[in-house]
Amino acid sequence: MKQITVPFLANLAKILSGATVRWVDCEPDICQRVYFANHTSHLDALVLWASLPKQLRNLTRPVAAADYWQAGPVRRYMASVFNALLIDRTKIKVHNSPIDMMIREIRDKYSLIVFPEGGRNPTGELRDFKSGLYYLGKKRPDLELVPVYFDNLNRVMPKGEFLPVPLLSSISIGSPIWLEAGEGKNEFLTRARQAVLNLKQ
Amino acid sequence: MLDSFFDFESLDWATIILILIVFVVLGALFTAGQILRRQPESNFDKAIIRTFNRRVGAWLTICVMLVVALCLSKVVTVVFFGVLSFWALREFITMTPTRRADHRTLFWVFFVFTPMQYVLVGLDWYNFYTILIPVYVSLFIPARIAFTGDHKRFLERSAKIQFGVLICVYALSHAPALLYLDLVKYNQSTGVWEPWSGKPTGLLFFFIVMVQVSDTLHFVWDRLFGRYVIAAAINPTKTWEGLIGTVCSTAVVGMLIQLLLPDVTPFTWYGAGFMAVLISVMASSGSMTMSAIKRDRGIKDYGTLVTGHAGVLDRIDSVCFAAPIFFHVTRFCLAEPTVVRDPDGIVAQFLNFLLT
């Protein structure tokens, strides 16, 4: 069943969003990556996932909020279909750190799609990043951190709407960054945020 | 089974010859463009050659798809234009800023009204498809936006969506509607109106070819003889010489086609010339209007809007403007019931006067 629904949903999302993919100084690769992007629409993860080459799709898991994606059978089904890694936003504690969970789950195989703004942003402007990306980079320095910018997807399906409007959009995937030695948390998060903004043009 | 799907009956010899001529000319232009592009030290501007190649390539694609659709059936042709409309509207709305509150309105426009317009054309429900968008949709759009409660730039937002639907969907849908016209032809030897024996496919193809010829000639005239620019702020390449030259030369081409292939349209040779003038004027107005919109939005082509997209609207803006006028003038003169039913009526007398 998944073999049919997943490509169907992904391609439907791709057609509806008219998305073109630009790889800017970056190539598709099976090495472990964390794609971090601006979050404006439900379609974000879906469309990025659909635009990856086939062999990468099964290796890439979106990170999503458990409180949202476990509410209702449709959302639960969608989350399971895309093998989403659900994080409980309400119970973040030191001994139950979502970063540890992500690292446990991805082993040395999977890549992640994360939205460091922490939620969809209705205005379309890029908010400040939460610190998860920094800790991911610190605990797993081998992960490539790849900035991704979604353009116009918030118009295709804005927050609070369930029906898409088929406008044209684009996804830009930039060159990977890493946490530099001795780089501070805020410094790094600003740099990461800037890497996403640089793809805007 | 095969017979019901393939509609070879829709083509007559005149149409087939016209199609062949078009493909030979486009093929020659395409080859010439490719040779020029490969020339390392050519005397021509690279950018001009690139524009030229892109245009020829786009027209070749559109013509191939149109011929395939015409061979299959009327319905396939209607669907083909429906898809073009959908894509053009998509480009138009992407370029036009709308607000969050317009989302539901846009959904209606894309998924209800656009398909509905083409279904009505396919059903040949003339009385409904001529008023669906000008009456029902144009009133629905502002009302639906008002119900969302967002009044910011209200008039501007409604107007943008209305204009987009009008040009991309309503106007373009008149091109496939040509296939459903029952036309008459004036028999000059007997002096009576007789049902036209040709195929409407030829008429549609004639229309598309004339728009294409007009576009290409405009490009050539502007480059070779252009001096006085019409409106530099809108389009620095369009000149008065280009416009006049295009209109006259398109008329000549139209007459020649009609003289060589008398069965391709129901017009007389001078009628075809007049129609060519009409098409040419409308096609030029169309590209000027769309240029104005693009300048206002600060972009050059719809194709560069989002990298990698083809820019359908760039190619069909002239078709959009010419289609409804060509359709209505043809229908009024050669399918208008008053002429056919009432040979002594004022319209019939006027046409008689013109034609004899």
Side-chain angles (χ1 to χ4, degrees):
Chain A
M1 192 59 191
K2 267 189 187 178
Q3 270 86 2
I4 303 165
T5 45
V6 172
F8 174 75
L9 284 173
N11 287 320
L12 187 69
K14 216 177 155 183
I15 291 167
L16 281 175
S17 63
T20 34
V21 192
R22 293 194 305 147
W23 291 84
V24 187
D25 303 325
C26 184
E27 292 297 321
D29 198 326
I30 52 160
C31 70
Q32 274 190 289
R33 279 175 168 168
V34 176
Y35 299 95
F36 62 99
N38 60 328
H39 201 14
T40 53
S41 162
H42 273 332
L43 292 173
D44 289 350
L46 197 60
V47 173
L48 174 61
W49 193 86
S51 21
L52 292 173
K54 269 209 181 71
Q55 61 269 36
L56 293 189
R57 290 185 187 173
N58 297 329
L59 297 174
T60 308
R61 302 180 62 179
V63 177
D67 50 295
Y68 187 88
W69 287 101
Q70 277 177 343
V74 177
R75 288 181 191 173
R76 252 201 307 277
Y77 176 72
M78 290 290 286
S80 78
V81 157
F82 287 94
N83 200 8
L85 214 158
L86 296 183
I87 301 291
D88 200 335
R89 284 191 284 199
T90 53
K91 289 182 204 150
I92 296 177
K93 299 212 175 82
V94 182
H95 62 273
N96 187 20
S97 149
I99 302 300
D100 290 335
M101 184 194 153
M102 285 182 210
I103 288 170
R104 228 175 18 248
E105 287 274 332
I106 63 174
R107 301 196 299 272
D108 53 359
K109 188 176 170 196
Y110 292 104
S111 294
L112 290 176
I113 300 172
V114 299
F115 299 103
E117 288 172 278
R120 280 172 297 158
N121 190 353
T123 62
E125 270 170 41
L126 195 59
R127 286 183 296 196
D128 283 340
F129 281 5
K130 306 219 178 229
S131 55
L133 192 65
Y134 168 77
Y135 292 114
L136 259 178
K138 198 172 177 186
K139 292 189 177 172
R140 283 286 302 271
D142 60 308
L143 294 177
E144 286 192 355
L145 307 177
V146 180
V148 176
Y149 183 77
F150 295 103
D151 192 16
N152 222 16
L153 268 175
N154 56 333
R155 284 181 74 200
V156 175
M157 195 157 114
K159 190 171 184 168
E161 293 287 348
F162 58 97
L163 293 169
V165 162
L167 303 179
L168 299 168
S169 60
S170 76
I171 309 167
S172 309
I173 304 173
S175 60
I177 61 168
W178 287 271
L179 181 62
E180 304 286 337
E183 194 173 16
K185 190 173 87 176
N186 289 337
E187 217 177 315
F188 171 76
L189 290 175
T190 318
R191 187 161 68 91
R193 184 173 174 271
Q194 194 55 47
V196 173
L197 280 178
N198 286 345
L199 294 168
K200 193 174 176 182
Q201 287 156 25
Chain B
M1 174 63 203
L2 213 63
D3 279 358
S4 65
F5 196 61
F6 289 99
D7 189 15
F8 290 117
E9 295 266 301
S10 69
L11 300 173
D12 53 4
W13 276 110
T15 312
I16 292 170
I17 294 168
L18 181 59
I19 289 172
L20 286 178
I21 293 174
V22 169
F23 277 124
V24 168
V25 172
L26 276 177
L29 288 177
F30 187 75
T31 321
Q34 294 302 319
I35 291 169
L36 278 178
R37 192 171 63 92
R38 300 252 159 79
Q39 223 84 69
E41 288 161 45
S42 78
N43 304 320
F44 297 97
D45 188 354
K46 284 269 184 236
I48 293 181
I49 294 176
R50 219 175 305 126
T51 318
F52 177 80
N53 283 345
R54 236 194 354 245
R55 283 179 186 216
V56 174
W59 276 118
L60 205 55
T61 319
I62 290 180
C63 277
V64 169
M65 290 201 289
L66 181 63
V67 168
V68 170
L70 287 172
C71 288
L72 292 176
S73 70
K74 278 184 188 176
V75 174
V76 178
T77 313
V78 172
V79 172
F80 169 70
F81 277 95
V83 172
L84 275 186
S85 269
F86 191 83
W87 199 276
L89 185 63
R90 199 175 188 185
E91 287 178 350
F92 187 87
I93 302 287
T94 302
M95 167 203 68
T96 319
T98 53
R99 285 169 65 80
R100 169 76 177 71
D102 303 336
H103 189 81
R104 298 276 168 98
T105 318
L106 288 174
F107 185 85
W108 276 90
V109 164
F110 273 103
F111 289 110
V112 180
F113 298 131
T114 305
M116 195 170 164
Q117 172 74 11
Y118 279 90
V119 167
L120 293 174
V121 168
L123 293 173
D124 194 18
W125 195 346
Y126 173 78
N127 289 336
F128 198 178
Y129 73 69
T130 34
I131 58 165
L132 173 72
I133 287 170
V135 176
Y136 295 95
V137 176
S138 71
L139 295 177
F140 173 87
I141 288 169
R144 184 66 190 82
I145 296 177
F147 272 74
T148 62
D150 182 356
H151 55 76
K152 211 164 182 191
R153 295 190 282 116
F154 177 82
L155 209 50
E156 192 186 327
R157 282 153 56 207
S158 339
K160 279 171 182 165
I161 302 175
Q162 282 171 332
F163 186 83
V165 190
L166 193 73
I167 300 301
C168 302
V169 182
Y170 180 72
L172 189 61
S173 71
H174 286 81
L178 284 170
L179 295 177
Y180 293 87
L181 287 178
D182 281 326
L183 297 169
V184 290
K185 188 179 168 77
Y186 187 73
N187 188 327
Q188 273 168 327
S189 52
T190 57
V192 287
W193 294 92
E194 293 168 347
W196 178 46
S197 55
K199 307 289 181 201
T201 316
L203 189 66
L204 174 57
F205 208 75
F206 172 81
F207 166 69
I208 297 287
V209 169
M210 290 326 292
V211 175
Q212 210 172 324
V213 165
S214 166
D215 269 7
T216 318
L217 286 175
H218 215 316
F219 187 77
V220 175
W221 278 92
D222 281 331
R223 290 295 182 282
L224 295 182
F225 304 103
R227 269 190 71 198
Y228 295 98
V229 176
I230 299 173
I234 285 175
N235 193 330
T237 59
K238 292 265 192 294
T239 57
W240 285 111
E241 293 80 4
L243 181 65
I244 294 161
T246 308
V247 171
C248 298
S249 50
T250 311
V252 172
V253 176
M255 288 180 200
L256 281 178
I257 291 179
Q258 185 62 37
L259 284 173
L260 286 174
L261 305 163
D263 289 336
V264 83
T265 73
F267 308 127
T268 53
W269 64 270
Y270 46 88
F274 170 73
M275 283 309 206
V277 168
L278 209 60
I279 290 172
S280 181
V281 169
M282 288 318 294
S284 303
S285 316
S287 41
M288 278 299 273
T289 310
M290 291 324 233
S291 292
I293 296 171
K294 286 186 271 190
R295 287 303 164 278
D296 183 36
R297 298 296 318 136
I299 51 173
K300 191 170 174 296
D301 288 312
Y302 292 97
T304 54
L305 200 64
V306 178
T307 342
H309 283 293
V312 171
L313 199 47
D314 289 327
R315 288 293 78 80
I316 63 166
D317 50 7
S318 37
V319 182
C320 289
F321 266 66
I325 306 294
F326 181 75
F327 174 87
H328 280 294
V329 173
T330 307
R331 187 176 183 279
F332 182 75
C333 294
L334 300 177
E336 180 60 39
T338 51
V339 178
V340 185
R341 284 194 203 137
D342 179 14
D344 298 325
I346 181 107
V347 179
Q349 277 179 6
F350 178 68
L351 286 174
N352 262 320
F353 170 74
L354 270 186
L355 294 168
T356 47

